[in-house]
Amino acid sequence: MADTFFELQKEGIFKKVLYGAKGDLPSFPDGAKATFHYRTIKTDEEKTVLDDSRNIGKPMELIFGKKFKLEVWEKLLKTMKVKEVSEFTCDRKHTAVYPLVAKSLRDIYKGKGSGHNHSGSHHCCGMAMFSEQGMGYHDLDELVKSPEPLVFVLELLKLELPEQFEQETWSMNENEKLNNIPKLREAGNESYRLKNYDEAANKYAQALTMLEDLMLHEKPGDDDWKKLDDLKRPLLLNFSQCKLLTGDFYPVITHTSEVLARDPDNEKALFRRGKAHAAVWNATEARRDLTRVTELNPKLEAAVHKELASLESRIKEKEAQEKSSFSGMFSS
């Protein structure tokens, strides 16, 4: 432990343990996730508190090895045991970027930032640029103009190894996303088999998000882009089927239309879009899609006839109700 303190001091960091913890110092491999509270304090006489995650009510999460902008936090956490609380006084060479990080975190907590916000967990993987108008926070503007040493009080609440938690999309590299897509699809299929359609839709949606992120790095129409697009279409169809079964019809129309833009004669997409159109009273579109299904596959004529008959019956019933309501307006 003495060596750790000495190494930190050589880098302009002074550590003071406020609350010790039992056990050995854990390892912090790349991909591990630390959950911790932080308090940032100025070194003025008043010990002015700039930020305190406990006041916000949500701890910070940091994935090691993901190039977090405030690099010194990774260094500090790697000297801590779980449940330890320590105070670190850091030279300004380590804290110059703090205003950018703090602005991003504050904006996220207020719900107006462009950072990632997943199920209440906050991350800071993208920094807002410093504009001519300033940071939007007076205390941070002052730090930008006059960088100074800062004190960080950290409490390491939890440390999870990569295999112990479900990694979020924003923190994955391209290979990790590509490897997770088939796993998410299979998890969605399993939930679907169990008739847990909302959970299945969520898994398919996660896989689609990863695919779309990967496709942004490829040129549309190139071989790699086409391979990703081929993976996307079955996920869109599966997602649409889940939404159809849960009565959420407009996403069905949107996602099956995306499939049909690439594969105009896809029977599943036409049939599901036709059913969704029928459910939201788009009668012309429903008839068009369902009729096309029978043209492509006469074996589905009975299923299509059932859907069309149901649609016509509902239309007649609706017209009768409207006629009755209309005539009632003029009855004595």
Side-chain angles (χ1 to χ4, degrees):
M1 183 62 73
D3 290 342
T4 300
F5 280 79
F6 180 68
E7 291 298 322
L8 288 175
Q9 288 178 18
K10 287 198 300 183
E11 296 187 47
I13 301 170
F14 297 86
K15 177 177 179 179
K16 178 181 179 181
V17 177
L18 302 180
Y19 180 84
K22 297 179 180 179
D24 297 327
L25 187 70
S27 62
F28 296 82
D30 284 353
K33 180 169 72 173
T35 302
F36 62 100
H37 276 299
Y38 67 92
R39 185 163 71 253
T40 306
I41 307 169
K42 297 181 71 174
T43 55
D44 54 12
E45 291 184 6
E46 294 78 13
K47 303 298 182 184
T48 304
V49 176
L50 293 171
D51 296 288
D52 189 337
S53 61
R54 287 195 176 277
N55 290 340
I56 297 166
K58 292 183 181 296
M60 180 71 185
E61 292 180 355
L62 185 151
I63 307 290
F64 291 94
K66 295 298 181 180
K67 298 182 179 179
F68 183 69
K69 292 295 181 181
L70 190 59
E71 294 180 10
V72 72
W73 272 4
E74 283 201 30
K75 186 184 299 292
L76 305 183
L77 288 166
K78 286 182 177 181
T79 72
M80 298 179 68
K81 300 176 182 179
V82 178
K83 305 302 181 184
E84 176 185 323
V85 182
S86 285
E87 175 185 285
F88 301 87
T89 303
C90 299
D91 188 272
R92 64 184 180 183
K93 69 181 179 182
H94 297 296
T95 63
V97 75
Y98 183 77
L100 289 172
V101 175
K103 171 181 169 52
S104 182
L105 289 172
R106 291 180 188 184
D107 286 349
I108 292 169
Y109 291 137
K110 289 182 178 180
K112 65 179 183 180
S114 59
H116 299 265
N117 182 348
H118 302 283
S119 303
S121 298
H122 298 276
H123 314 275
C124 188
C125 61
M127 294 297 110
M129 295 301 292
F130 178 61
S131 67
E132 293 181 1
Q133 291 74 33
M135 308 294 289
Y137 301 93
H138 176 71
D139 55 352
L140 299 182
D141 288 337
E142 292 301 313
L143 275 180
V144 171
K145 294 173 185 176
S146 303
E148 60 185 78
L150 293 174
V151 176
F152 299 115
V153 178
L154 305 182
E155 179 183 357
L156 182 54
L157 302 172
K158 183 168 59 174
L159 177 67
E160 298 170 275
L161 297 177
E163 65 273 13
Q164 293 175 326
F165 66 96
E166 185 175 341
Q167 196 172 355
E168 296 182 66
T169 303
W170 69 268
S171 67
M172 295 181 184
N173 60 36
E174 291 188 8
N175 285 333
E176 289 170 334
K177 290 176 184 176
L178 198 57
N179 291 334
N180 268 279
I181 288 167
K183 296 177 183 177
L184 286 166
R185 182 179 176 181
E186 182 53 40
N189 292 346
E190 179 61 25
S191 294
Y192 185 88
R193 283 191 286 270
L194 296 173
K195 298 184 179 181
N196 189 345
Y197 302 125
D198 286 327
E199 178 63 21
N202 181 54
K203 295 299 182 184
Y204 296 138
Q206 289 181 53
L208 284 165
T209 297
M210 292 181 191
L211 271 172
E212 288 165 359
D213 287 344
L214 291 170
M215 292 175 76
L216 287 174
H217 298 286
E218 306 296 340
K219 184 178 179 180
D222 282 0
D223 288 343
D224 288 339
W225 186 91
K226 288 178 180 177
K227 290 177 182 177
L228 294 172
D229 191 51
D230 288 340
L231 292 174
K232 187 177 180 182
R233 274 178 268 174
L235 287 166
L236 287 169
L237 288 170
N238 290 354
F239 180 81
S240 298
Q241 178 65 5
C242 292
K243 291 296 182 179
L244 193 65
L245 290 169
T246 56
D248 194 2
F249 301 113
Y250 288 104
V252 179
I253 295 171
T254 298
H255 289 81
T256 51
S257 293
E258 185 175 349
V259 173
L260 291 164
R262 306 257 178 236
D263 184 7
D265 291 335
N266 189 292
E267 296 171 15
K268 289 182 179 179
L270 284 165
F271 190 68
R272 289 168 191 174
R273 188 173 73 173
K275 291 181 70 172
H277 274 310
V280 296
W281 301 100
N282 296 335
T284 300
E285 292 84 351
R287 294 187 188 105
R288 181 194 61 209
D289 283 347
L290 293 171
T291 299
R292 181 59 181 155
V293 171
T294 59
E295 293 172 356
L296 293 169
N297 189 349
K299 293 181 180 179
L300 294 175
E301 186 172 354
V304 168
H305 177 75
K306 180 180 178 181
E307 293 297 329
L308 288 173
S310 175
L311 173 61
E312 300 305 331
S313 175
R314 288 168 51 233
I315 290 173
K316 289 180 180 179
E317 182 179 347
K318 184 179 180 182
E319 289 175 346
Q321 290 176 348
E322 291 175 349
K323 184 177 180 181
S324 175
S325 297
F326 185 75
S327 60
M329 291 173 61
F330 299 98
S331 62
S332 57

